[in-house]
Amino acid sequence: MFENVAIAPPDPILGLTETFKADPNPDKINLSVGVYKDATGKTPVLETVKEAEKRILAQEDSKGYLPMTGEPVYCARLQELLFGEGHEIITSKRAATAQCPGGTGALRVVGDYLHTLHPDASLWLSDPTWANHNTIFDAAGVECKKYSYRDPKTNGLDFGAMYESIKKIPKGDAILLHGCCHNPTGIDPTPEQWALIGDLLAKQGVLPLVDFAYQGLANGIEDDRAGLLELVKKVQQLLICSSFSKNFGLYRERIGALTVVGDNKEQADTVMSQVKLRIRYNYSNPPSHGGQIVATVLSDPQLKAQWIEEVADIRNRINEMRHLFVKTLKDKGVTQDFSSIIEQRGMFSFSGLNKDQVNRLREEYSIYIVGSGRINVAGMTKDNMDRLCDAIKAVL
Ligand code: LMR
């Protein structure tokens, strides 16, 4: 049965990391996968994570299965992070959360939920979006459609076009919105624009699915939920997929969540009962370690405060690199305007480099960028900036 199997195409993001690892050039630069690097080019384990792991190792007394929806303390802390402690959604218990293996695991469960309970619903994705969104929902059998997002002329948000295309989404469909730090563009709507989107979705009866994988990397843990909070003022029902890969640096621990917000507790719990079925046949119940780390840090006020500082360090270094990148290109005499990158937030920006230029950067300079021209600003350092900008100048 294996004779006629063709080799699958490489993944557009993780496949590049495999090629990068095999590249013998000691000066190679990886700006493809969304993984944070510190000033020395390493992906660090946060101090708060190390402290939490020490405590877990000392206290853990069982490796029994977690419930299908994971550790309740983790789920409670996650809701506080999403909405803020004491938010009405929390006090009225109209949110139900399941701990999931990464944001990807949560998205897949949503895909299975939509496909089986709402087989006629299409899911609308921003154009562009994270390459894996299409793949996950295609695999689940959910039809994906596109709504307008980026203005190629300004490399900013084309809110008018976004609004007009959302207006055309029929009742009963779902729309995926990026909570903050839009992947791949780094362009986010303002809170005022989120409110307008929320009004529109409520009026049209379209279900929002918020992919919230970068809380804290745009402007701060609390500031970054501003869009979500505007949205929940307008819509009663929504789904939220969370990830702690980036803001806790827990990439390989696969820790995320799916939160269902309903009109009331009974409705949220009913939907969650259906979600649980999909969890059971996908992976049965989530891995524990990442959730224990997050719950330990967020349950200890001192550790939580230290973590918020660590996230600020990550955010500030990325923003510093945004400025340095634009300045270095300018100093080297590049006339193309890259200044919009300074305004963007999170790990990613669209560089505007085309496929040929991206290929030349990889083949001639061992610089790895996703084919769409998306760059991971968090992979830039003061040490690799000159080499990177020289190479970009050469291929432009
Ligand atoms: C990315 O977009 O690079 C990250 O979210 C990692 C991934 O899984 O693709």
Side-chain angles (χ1 to χ4, degrees):
M1 289 174 77
F2 294 166
E3 272 101 26
N4 296 320
V5 177
I7 291 196
D11 180 79
I13 298 174
L14 299 185
L16 270 179
T17 300
E18 290 170 15
T19 321
F20 173 82
K21 284 198 171 139
D23 186 335
N25 185 343
D27 296 324
K28 60 190 177 179
I29 302 173
N30 190 2
L31 302 185
S32 58
V33 67
V35 171
Y36 175 74
K37 303 268 172 57
D38 65 15
T40 68
K42 291 215 179 72
T43 301
V45 181
L46 301 188
E47 288 302 320
T48 46
V49 168
K50 284 193 191 149
E51 174 57 30
E53 285 183 313
K54 270 192 222 151
R55 295 186 192 177
I56 293 162
L57 194 62
Q59 288 160 17
E60 192 174 50
D61 57 2
S62 175
K63 293 284 186 191
Y65 292 123
L66 285 184
M68 285 179 274
T69 50
E71 173 56 57
V73 177
Y74 165 84
C75 295
R77 293 291 95 83
L78 176 116
Q79 289 189 7
E80 290 162 5
L81 214 55
L82 286 177
F83 308 114
E85 279 174 53
H87 190 281
E88 173 275 324
I89 290 178
I90 299 176
T91 53
S92 61
K93 298 188 172 39
R94 59 185 186 91
T97 295
Q99 176 178 342
C100 295
T104 302
L107 289 164
R108 174 63 201 233
V109 170
V110 170
D112 288 342
Y113 172 81
L114 288 177
H115 177 66
T116 44
L117 275 96
H118 307 283
D120 297 328
S122 294
L123 177 66
W124 293 72
L125 303 172
S126 62
D127 182 17
T129 193
W130 180 43
N132 214 21
H133 279 148
N134 281 291
T135 324
I136 292 167
F137 290 104
D138 273 356
V142 176
E143 189 178 355
C144 294
K145 294 183 176 159
K146 288 179 188 172
Y147 64 89
S148 303
Y149 198 76
R150 173 179 172 262
D151 181 350
K153 288 198 270 330
T154 60
N155 199 19
L157 180 65
D158 189 342
F159 186 69
M162 179 185 183
Y163 194 81
E164 284 309 310
S165 58
I166 294 179
K167 258 187 182 168
K168 296 188 190 118
I169 302 180
K171 183 176 164 66
D173 275 2
I175 180 172
L176 190 148
L177 298 160
H178 299 228
C180 67
C181 305
H182 182 269
N183 179 2
T185 65
I187 305 163
D188 293 324
T190 62
E192 293 72 28
Q193 289 168 335
W194 272 94
L196 293 172
I197 295 167
D199 275 332
L200 201 53
L201 298 177
K203 194 165 125 213
Q204 288 177 217
V206 172
L207 177 77
L209 161 59
V210 179
D211 188 349
F212 207 14
Y214 295 87
Q215 189 175 0
L217 268 66
N219 299 306
I221 297 294
E222 289 185 14
D223 288 356
D224 290 356
R225 59 177 171 236
L228 177 67
L229 293 187
E230 289 301 326
L231 189 66
V232 298
K233 280 184 203 159
K234 311 287 180 175
V235 296
Q236 289 281 109
Q237 301 174 10
L238 73 155
L239 300 169
I240 305 162
C241 290
S242 305
S243 166
F244 289 113
S245 293
K246 325 283 172 166
N247 56 12
F248 265 85
L250 288 172
Y251 308 90
R252 64 176 62 170
E253 301 298 351
R254 311 309 302 135
I255 178 64
L258 168 58
T259 298
V260 177
V261 182
D263 293 344
N264 50 49
K265 180 176 177 344
E266 195 191 345
Q267 188 183 64
D269 289 346
T270 304
V271 173
M272 185 50 78
S273 73
Q274 290 289 345
V275 167
K276 272 162 74 176
L277 288 183
R278 274 87 217 164
I279 288 174
R280 177 64 170 145
Y281 70 62
N282 266 294
Y283 53 83
S284 192
N285 49 78
S288 162
H289 190 62
Q292 286 191 72
I293 294 170
V294 172
T296 303
V297 172
L298 297 183
S299 299
D300 177 324
Q302 233 174 325
L303 269 189
K304 183 176 173 186
Q306 192 185 340
W307 168 70
I308 289 173
E309 288 298 313
E310 289 188 289
V311 179
D313 289 346
I314 292 174
R315 179 175 67 245
N316 293 338
R317 202 194 82 74
I318 296 175
N319 288 337
E320 192 193 346
M321 288 304 105
R322 288 185 176 279
H323 282 270
L324 188 63
F325 178 60
V326 172
K327 179 179 181 307
T328 310
L329 286 171
K330 210 168 167 195
D331 290 351
K332 288 187 185 294
V334 171
T335 50
Q336 195 166 316
D337 184 15
F338 283 91
S339 59
S340 58
I341 290 177
I342 293 177
E343 308 307 322
Q344 294 160 2
R345 285 293 170 268
M347 289 190 169
F348 308 114
S349 275
F350 254 20
S351 61
L353 296 166
N354 63 34
K355 267 213 159 65
D356 286 343
Q357 291 163 335
V358 168
N359 287 344
R360 278 192 64 199
L361 282 175
R362 188 177 64 251
E363 283 157 16
E364 295 173 31
Y365 299 92
S366 295
I367 294 173
Y368 291 75
I369 291 175
V370 176
S372 61
R374 184 194 83 169
I375 45 173
N376 174 19
V377 183
M380 297 177 190
T381 63
K382 284 183 184 161
D383 292 337
N384 67 24
M385 194 61 84
D386 264 326
R387 186 174 175 294
L388 170 67
C389 293
D390 283 335
I392 290 178
K393 186 180 175 192
V395 303
L396 278 176

